[in-house]
Each structure stands twice: as structure tokens, then as C-alpha cells.
Amino acid sequence: MEPEDAQILREGCVDFISISYYRSTLAARQQGKQSGDPLNLGEANPYLPCTEWGITIDPLGFRIVLHNLYDRYGLPIMVVENGLGAVDTVAEDGKVHDTYRIDFYRTHIRAMKDAIELDGVDVMGYTPWGWIDIVSAGSGEMRKRYGFVYVDMDDTGHGSLARSRKDSFAWYKKVIASNGEDLD
């Protein structure tokens, strides 16, 4: 770091805020109770549905986060990650019918649209996590899949690495083509 860098940092400002949103958690816990969350981010809300990893599915929480960040900082928001880790099963027809992933994205994109259209939040972009299955950074498992493209690989490294499009791939392609207007 050069001496003049400190002054540049003091005078500089960001043009937008980027966020990753996967879930909400409860901030308050009973004293002495340990969180079931491996990242120790708080307790799951018992009134919300959860994934098998205990991650709450909370599209309204997404809208609230967008609203609160925009209200606090007044800067455009870029959603750089939003997604659902789930166990995907290849059906007898050789395809992955991941309606649960489509439902997740549909409800979260609608919540984001409400934040934009009803709350006046300036959201400059949205990218889901992610387009292809990879080893989960959170759990170290391949079976916790996020992608629109299925990769034939298991937790022990066995598989052909063949790729195939899940149902969510075609759905999200349509969402992109309609700029988020066609969510059905």
C-alpha cells in the first residue's frame, strides 16, 4: 500500500452494492443453545420451509433485505448469488425434473420484482447460483446441487462427468428471454 492510497480510500465511494442471498435466520437464540448451522449464522425460522440442510426458503426475507439495504445506503443493488441447494434425482427418462428449483427461483424473482415495483428499490441485476452443478462450498458435497445443468458425479468422485440440462434450464432460459416477465 502506498501512502496516497489511504487518502484515495477515504475519498472513494462505491457505485453499487452487491449481495448474495440464500436464506434468512433468526438472530435470537436461547442461551447456551448451539446453532445447527455449520456456519453458525443463526437458527432457522421454524415457520418457514427448509432444505434438507436446514436452509430456510424465504422469498419475503429477500425482498426485505433488498428494501433495507436500499433504504439504508441509497445505492443500486446487484444480486450476484441466489440459489437453492437440493438433491437432484435423474428420472427414468434420463432427465432431472427439478420443479422445486423452479419454484424457488420463481418466488424469489417475484419478491425481487415487488421490491423494485412496489418498494422502489433500484436492482441493477440478478444472477442465480449457479448454472452448473459443482461441489458445494458450504457442505463439500456434490449431492447438494445448485445448477441448471446436471453433472454426473457423486460425492466420492465417481461418475462420467456427462452434463444434461435440467427442467430449470429451459425455464430460466425463458425467464432471461422475457427479462423476468415470464415466470410460469
Side-chain angles (χ1 to χ4, degrees):
M1 185 167 164
E2 301 297 323
E4 62 272 10
D5 291 344
Q7 184 66 26
I8 292 169
L9 290 172
R10 275 193 296 278
E11 294 173 356
C13 71
V14 296
D15 297 323
F16 64 93
I17 297 169
S18 62
I19 68 164
S20 299
Y21 180 85
Y22 289 93
R23 59 161 157 199
S24 61
T25 58
L26 298 177
R29 296 193 304 243
Q30 294 174 351
Q31 190 171 5
K33 185 176 179 186
Q34 294 296 315
S35 171
D37 181 345
L39 299 176
N40 202 25
L41 298 175
E43 293 294 323
N45 185 332
Y47 301 102
L48 293 173
C50 288
T51 69
E52 79 173 78
W53 287 273
I55 307 298
T56 55
I57 299 173
D58 187 6
L60 178 57
F62 182 40
R63 177 180 173 187
I64 291 168
V65 165
L66 292 170
H67 177 85
N68 288 348
L69 285 172
Y70 189 68
D71 186 54
R72 177 178 290 177
Y73 299 107
L75 293 170
I77 299 171
M78 172 66 186
V79 180
V80 296
E81 288 184 27
N82 176 235
L84 172 73
V87 175
D88 293 331
T89 305
V90 179
E92 286 186 26
D93 64 1
K95 298 181 180 183
V96 175
H97 304 293
D98 57 341
T99 55
Y100 43 87
R101 183 168 289 108
I102 293 168
D103 291 342
F104 175 91
Y105 282 118
R106 180 183 292 121
T107 59
H108 281 73
I109 292 170
R110 282 186 180 143
M112 178 177 58
K113 287 179 68 156
D114 285 347
I116 294 166
E117 295 169 1
L118 302 176
D119 304 336
V121 176
D122 184 1
V123 177
M124 61 188 287
Y126 172 87
T127 55
W129 181 263
W131 75 272
I132 191 168
D133 290 339
I134 61 170
V135 174
S136 170
S139 68
E141 299 169 285
M142 188 67 188
R143 71 185 190 101
K144 184 178 183 185
R145 297 172 182 271
Y146 288 88
F148 299 124
V149 175
Y150 182 84
V151 177
D152 179 30
M153 180 64 59
D154 65 19
D155 285 345
T156 63
H158 294 94
S160 68
L161 293 176
R163 281 111 166 113
S164 59
R165 296 173 181 172
K166 302 175 189 179
D167 289 354
S168 58
F169 181 96
W171 177 82
Y172 195 64
K173 182 178 177 183
K174 181 178 63 165
V175 170
I176 292 169
S178 70
N179 195 29
E181 293 302 316
D182 187 355
L183 296 175
D184 294 322

